[in-house]
Each structure stands twice: as structure tokens, then as C-alpha cells.
Amino acid sequence: MSTEAIIKTKLEAGLSIEHLTIENESHMHSGPATDSHFKVTVVSEDFSGKRLVQRHQLIYGLLADEMKHPIHALSMHLFIQQEWQAKGETVMPSPKCLGGSKGEN
């Protein structure tokens, strides 16, 4: 099973999801980054009353094994339905990776 499929399965099993988008952004990173960089957008009322850090902790808990390996980076955009609608149901695109110190001049 692909890492993306595992993420989807675990998030859907652990949360009551109204909207889920998983983007494999590994191609935007230098080096052998296959199936290691992801962006998830999750809309769930399970986040209601939780601060952003608590929402992140919930996702990290669901994906604990994958965060050890193979996931190297996980960008999370986590909303309740009202917040998602207020954002126009969109998130900003991720920037291209500059490869750490390669971006410093």
C-alpha cells in the first residue's frame, strides 16, 4: 500500500472527516524524496474546541508509525467546517523546496 493510501486509511479511521485532500509533494524536494513529503487538508468537527497544536497532535498520533518512516515532512491544514468555508475552501500552494542551505546566498 502506498504511503498516501496509508495516510488516507488512518485519517479516515481516526476522524469523522467532511473533506480530505492528500497531496504528495515529494517531487518538489531535492534528493531521494519519493513518498516522503505530504500536505494534508482535513475538515472535521473532531477539531472543534481544539487549538491548532492539539489538532496537529491528533494527526501526529494517528500517523505516528509513518512519521518515523517514510514521512519526512507533513504540512497540515486542519479546519472545522465553519473555518473551511470562511477560507473559501482553499489553502495556499506549498512553496518549492530550496534544499536547506541551498536557498541561502
Side-chain angles (χ1 to χ4, degrees):
M1 184 180 294
S2 72
T3 304
E4 186 172 340
I6 292 168
I7 292 170
K8 182 179 190 301
T9 299
K10 288 193 170 188
L11 293 181
E12 287 177 341
L15 296 168
S16 176
I17 293 177
E18 297 173 41
H19 173 83
L20 173 63
T21 303
I22 304 168
E23 296 177 54
N24 185 336
E25 296 185 329
S26 301
H27 66 280
M28 297 169 54
H29 300 272
S30 61
T34 305
D35 261 10
S36 63
H37 292 69
F38 291 88
K39 176 166 82 174
V40 296
T41 302
V42 182
V43 179
S44 173
E45 289 307 310
D46 292 339
F47 299 139
S48 184
K50 290 182 172 48
R51 296 184 321 268
L52 186 57
V53 69
Q54 293 171 311
R55 296 174 187 193
H56 282 218
Q57 289 168 336
L58 181 57
I59 300 299
Y60 283 135
L62 293 171
L63 301 176
D65 291 337
E66 291 70 31
M67 291 304 299
K68 293 175 190 169
H69 183 75
I71 298 175
H72 174 73
L74 182 64
S75 172
M76 294 181 270
H77 303 271
L78 312 174
F79 308 97
I80 61 171
Q81 186 64 39
Q82 183 179 9
E83 295 165 338
W84 180 238
Q85 289 173 340
K87 284 200 57 70
E89 300 183 359
T90 62
V91 294
M92 296 289 292
S94 299
K96 294 280 186 194
C97 177
L98 297 176
S101 62
K102 294 178 187 175
E104 298 173 22
N105 288 327

